[in-house]
């Protein structure tokens, strides 16, 4: 069963930002992972059949130049 985890990212200002972050996370976590990014709220929802660690998402986000802010409450 797929599990969704919501993360927060700072510094996103446009749809292009969201696309870069989505692509980086999907590349790192694999084809079976779905990523939805809302640049207005700074929320990134990662849905995957395997556990997604904050460290894995942080690595992908920071590689794009944005600031990973942790797991959303």
């Amino acid at each position: 069963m797929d599990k969704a985890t919501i993360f927060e990212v700072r510094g996103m200002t446009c749809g292009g930002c969201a696309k870069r972050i989505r692509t980086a996370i999907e590349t790192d976590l694999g084809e079976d992972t779905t990523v939805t990014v809302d640049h207005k709220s700074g929320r990134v929802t990662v849905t995957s059949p395997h556990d997604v660690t904050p460290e894995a998402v942080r690595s992908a986000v920071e590689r794009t130049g944005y600031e990973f802010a942790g797991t959303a409450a």
Side-chain angles (χ1 to χ4, degrees):
M1 177 195 248
D2 289 354
K3 178 182 173 187
T5 307
I6 300 172
F7 300 94
E8 293 186 357
V9 176
R10 292 190 186 106
M12 290 188 288
T13 58
C14 64
C17 305
K19 182 177 181 180
R20 283 191 297 276
I21 290 170
R22 183 178 58 248
T23 300
I25 294 171
E26 288 175 345
T27 297
D28 284 7
L29 298 181
E31 293 180 5
D32 59 348
T33 299
T34 303
V35 180
T36 305
V37 181
D38 180 352
H39 70 274
K40 292 179 182 176
S41 70
R43 297 222 168 188
V44 177
T45 303
V46 180
T47 306
S48 180
H50 51 82
D51 288 335
V52 176
T53 65
E55 293 79 14
V57 175
R58 174 188 300 272
S59 174
V61 168
E62 290 181 349
R63 194 172 63 252
T64 64
Y66 297 95
E67 181 183 351
F68 178 80
T71 305

